[in-house]
Amino acid sequence: MSCKDPTGRGHSAAPRSIQAEDDRDQAAVLAYVLALHPTCLSVPDLVREVSAGATEFEGTDRIERAVRDLVGSGLLHSASGLVTPTHAALRAYALLEG
């Protein structure tokens, strides 16, 4: 019986965790929104721009989840369908960028 790795990554490569992928997506969305500030985007426009125009469900759902989770964390607002950074996110960005 063969014990081949069906992913083709070999045994030494650790599979990426879902949490690591979610963190990466959230970081990308937050960085994009902060870079655009004070310009605001709608959620569909943000999804399209951050996902590089992906149209399949998986690509768009990842970005929508990232927005939802960042809103829940208090780093983004999504009022009236527009996504904006919170004061806390802007302050942290200012401190980190120095």
Side-chain angles (χ1 to χ4, degrees):
M1 183 167 171
S2 174
C3 292
K4 283 184 127 183
D5 179 10
T7 64
R9 291 181 293 193
H11 294 290
S12 61
R16 295 187 76 163
S17 74
I18 292 173
Q19 183 62 52
E21 289 179 8
D22 288 348
D23 289 348
R24 183 199 67 221
D25 293 338
Q26 289 176 35
V29 168
L30 184 58
Y32 196 81
V33 170
L34 288 168
L36 283 179
H37 183 72
T39 302
C40 304
L41 289 175
S42 67
V43 173
D45 288 340
L46 180 63
V47 167
R48 193 172 22 264
E49 290 192 24
V50 174
S51 68
T55 56
E56 77 283 348
F57 176 76
E58 181 183 348
T60 59
D61 183 59
R62 287 180 24 236
I63 306 305
E64 289 173 355
R65 275 196 336 266
V67 170
R68 182 200 64 215
D69 292 346
L70 289 165
V71 168
S73 297
L75 294 172
L76 292 181
H77 291 295
S78 183
S80 304
L82 296 177
V83 179
T84 58
T86 63
H87 178 73
L90 289 169
R91 181 66 180 137
Y93 182 69
L95 290 171
L96 294 172
E97 291 298 308

